Amino acid sequence: MNKTFPKDFLWGASISAHQTEGAYATDGKGLSVQDTRPRDNHEIADFTVAVDHYHHYKEDIALLAELGIKIFRFSIAWTRIFPHGRGEINQKGLDHYSDVIDELLKYHIQPYITLSHFDLPQALEDEGGWSNRATVTAFKEYAETLFKAYGDRVTHWLTINEPNIMLLVDRKILGKEIPLNEKYQQFHHLMMAEKYAFDRCHTLVPGGQIGPVPNISLVYPATSKPEDNQAALYFNSVRNWAYLDFACFGRYNAVFSDYLCQNNIDITFAPGDADLMKTALPDFVAMNFYTTVTVEQPTTTGDMKNGISDQQSEDIMERGFYKGFTNTYLKKNAFNWTIDPLGLKTTLQTLYDRYHLPIIITENGLGAEDHLTDDEKIHDEYRIDYLAQHTEQCLAAIHAGVELIGYSPWSAIDLISVHEGIKKRYGFIYVDRTDADEKAQKRYKKDSFYWYQKLIEEG
Ligand code: BG6
């Protein structure tokens, strides 16, 4: 059996706009919820300068070309195109991404563009954000604008980054908690926005392909106790399958529906939703994978404090159905994230078995504190180790019959972690700044850069 990756495998690297670009109010950009997000910890960097990718994009893309990537996943900041979420187009914003796309194509790197990565325009948030149906319409118009502007050069699109994480860890990502009832109305709106994007992409982009991009963490039961298995069933549905069943099958997952029912949550549909749900479908599934989750049955509600189990948190935010459990078979990284490479293979197999669509991994990586040595090197062997173990499982999944078409890890360059600043780095390219000191953001290639370059070359 051939033990190398297919020749046309899409090796890539990923970033998002708000975590890299900086220039938060430059060239007419409006504010997003990430610019205004209240922070618990003011000692970590915010997104005002980030790693100044907005001004360094040519240098960054040249480095990525040297790395050898075939695709680059990045997001467009909605507030550069429509500073207030809708209305008049900001031409400078539109031109900026046109230049970025041309720069990538110059090096034969194919853009994979995420329409929105956690950065809803603040002006729309002020009108109720994703709770307000009008945001779906604004998103549709925004997506149409991008498809029309770039569809001549960009064929591959991703919808809304990790709607599941946005809703499940709302306070960390959005800086506020969303009441349960409102949260699942937001779910419906986010999913319908995605449906419009599928539909408009297929209509407006010649040969356009588009997929959803959830964060998938397979959920294990803590023991073989039937009750723990029920807990895992529910959390798998609420965390993972609800989103992909909606996107790929156009239906509410049945276990998720029971969860909504038990929480007395009613969803309001708009006219036409039921039809569009069924007819607008994705071409592939993009998946962000970092970890797996293990849960047990909650014993009493006393186990839960503020909706998070005392014993262990992971992404367990909702009371009553499941309780996080420390899986002693798995190690954790320095930031307390469980590491489970074999879990990636199992996740890929499960996903492929459910949806039978090509899969591309659009995030996977290790957040760690890196150090620039006196001779300007970054010896990040821990990251190489993580990526080697995970790519090995990608290969195993391919040989087990999964149609995995690409791997685009997080992240191309160092960026500001969503809630832990720049001390937690992910990139192949080190950016010299700290949380407290922006410095000149000089770029350096890490050891992992050379490791990934070789993997791409040799497969
Ligand atoms: C993903 C997000 O959930 O996790 C990224 O799409 C994020 O935006 C990544 O950076 C890692 O999380 P964190 O909290 O370490 O930045």
Side-chain angles (χ1 to χ4, degrees):
M1 186 166 60
N2 178 9
K3 286 284 185 196
T4 56
F5 282 90
K7 280 278 162 279
D8 57 355
F9 193 69
L10 298 170
W11 293 105
S14 301
I15 59 165
S16 75
H18 73 277
Q19 292 173 271
T20 55
E21 286 179 354
Y24 81 110
T26 303
D27 290 341
K29 181 182 170 297
L31 295 183
S32 81
V33 295
Q34 293 303 331
D35 298 316
T36 58
R37 193 178 95 194
R39 286 165 182 276
D40 294 340
N41 180 355
H42 290 281
E43 283 162 15
I44 65 167
D46 60 22
F47 302 122
T48 54
V49 173
V51 294
D52 202 24
H53 176 62
Y54 189 76
H55 295 112
H56 287 255
Y57 76 90
K58 286 193 179 170
E59 179 189 351
D60 292 340
I61 291 171
L63 283 164
L64 295 174
E66 188 186 334
L67 181 60
I69 57 170
K70 315 284 180 234
I71 64 163
F72 182 47
R73 177 205 173 201
F74 64 99
S75 74
I76 287 184
W78 186 338
T79 49
R80 288 199 195 281
I81 311 299
F82 291 107
H84 306 293
R86 61 164 82 83
E88 206 178 319
I89 293 178
N90 176 35
Q91 193 58 42
K92 281 190 179 163
L94 212 55
D95 292 347
H96 171 73
Y97 292 109
S98 182
D99 293 345
V100 170
I101 291 164
D102 286 344
E103 195 67 16
L104 288 165
L105 295 177
K106 184 171 110 186
Y107 294 104
H108 308 289
I109 299 173
Q110 194 186 350
Y112 267 61
I113 298 184
T114 316
L115 296 170
S116 176
H117 192 123
F118 296 162
D119 53 356
L120 185 73
Q122 181 61 41
L124 297 181
E125 179 64 20
D126 293 341
E127 295 172 9
W130 285 109
S131 298
N132 182 355
R133 180 73 194 202
T135 298
V136 179
T137 310
F139 178 82
K140 178 176 161 242
E141 287 163 9
Y142 161 64
E144 281 174 347
T145 305
L146 300 187
F147 296 147
K148 284 182 192 157
Y150 309 130
D152 58 335
R153 286 160 290 161
V154 180
T155 48
H156 285 73
W157 297 84
L158 309 168
T159 55
I160 299 171
N161 184 66
E162 300 187 352
N164 56 339
I165 297 302
M166 258 164 64
L167 297 182
L168 284 166
V169 291
D170 44 6
R171 209 170 63 75
K172 281 186 190 167
I173 306 279
L174 304 173
K176 65 169 195 180
E177 270 164 37
I178 311 166
L180 208 55
N181 206 44
E182 201 177 318
K183 183 176 285 197
Y184 287 104
Q185 188 61 49
Q186 291 202 3
F187 165 89
H188 186 75
H189 290 160
L190 283 156
M191 294 294 97
M192 287 312 301
E194 187 159 274
K195 290 284 168 182
Y196 280 110
F198 296 158
D199 179 65
R200 303 318 291 150
C201 177
H202 290 144
T203 306
L204 295 170
V205 180
Q209 300 229 332
I210 186 160
V213 54
N215 175 306
I216 301 296
S217 283
L218 205 61
V219 183
Y220 300 155
T223 70
S224 50
K225 238 167 59 189
E227 289 79 2
D228 289 346
N229 202 37
Q230 270 278 303
L233 174 80
Y234 274 84
F235 198 45
N236 256 318
S237 295
V238 173
R239 191 198 186 289
N240 300 316
W241 312 136
Y243 295 80
L244 284 177
D245 285 1
F246 199 114
C248 303
F249 299 143
R251 66 172 184 240
Y252 270 80
N253 172 288
V255 178
F256 175 60
S257 294
D258 180 56
Y259 170 84
L260 295 178
C261 183
Q262 290 197 45
N263 280 289
N264 301 314
I265 297 169
D266 286 324
I267 307 288
T268 306
F269 277 50
D273 282 3
D275 283 343
L276 191 67
M277 273 170 72
K278 290 266 175 250
T279 54
L281 299 170
D283 304 286
F284 59 87
V285 173
M287 171 185 90
N288 298 344
F289 177 91
Y290 290 90
T291 183
T292 52
V293 179
T294 304
V295 297
E296 62 180 342
Q297 175 204 30
T299 40
T300 66
T301 48
D303 289 333
M304 311 290 276
K305 197 162 76 190
N306 300 328
I308 305 173
S309 102
D310 287 342
Q311 190 186 344
Q312 210 254 16
S313 68
E314 302 281 351
D315 289 330
I316 316 289
M317 298 299 287
E318 290 171 28
R319 182 183 294 267
F321 287 90
Y322 26 70
K323 176 180 161 198
F325 184 85
T326 301
N327 189 329
T328 52
Y329 296 102
L330 300 172
K331 290 194 186 127
K332 290 191 172 191
N333 71 19
F335 289 87
N336 212 28
W337 289 27
T338 302
I339 301 178
D340 185 5
L342 181 57
L344 172 57
K345 180 186 173 201
T346 314
T347 303
L348 288 167
Q349 289 177 297
T350 309
L351 208 75
Y352 191 60
D353 204 32
R354 289 181 75 92
Y355 305 108
H356 274 279
L357 284 173
I359 302 171
I360 179 163
I361 295 173
T362 41
E363 284 185 37
N364 174 237
L366 182 74
E369 286 192 50
D370 295 335
H371 300 284
L372 184 64
T373 61
D374 292 342
D375 59 348
E376 303 192 329
K377 302 271 190 293
I378 301 95
H379 300 304
D380 57 341
E381 64 290 338
Y382 34 87
R383 181 168 295 108
I384 294 173
D385 194 40
Y386 178 99
L387 294 170
Q389 289 183 50
H390 284 78
T391 48
E392 196 184 314
Q393 293 302 331
C394 289
L395 192 55
I398 292 171
H399 287 289
V402 174
E403 199 184 339
L404 177 66
I405 57 169
Y407 179 75
S408 186
W410 195 255
S411 52
I413 55 178
D414 280 347
L415 42 73
I416 312 292
S417 147
V418 170
H419 57 281
E420 283 166 303
I422 187 102
K423 77 170 185 299
K424 186 187 193 188
R425 295 169 183 269
Y426 286 90
F428 294 111
I429 298 162
Y430 183 90
V431 180
D432 190 23
R433 65 157 293 173
T434 66
D435 282 308
D437 185 353
E438 287 159 12
K439 300 193 191 173
Q441 300 106 36
K442 196 168 168 215
R443 275 69 170 145
Y444 298 90
K445 291 173 247 177
K446 302 184 189 177
D447 286 358
S448 58
F449 180 99
Y450 299 104
W451 172 84
Y452 192 43
Q453 188 181 49
K454 188 160 179 278
L455 179 67
I456 295 173
E457 257 168 39
E458 297 175 358

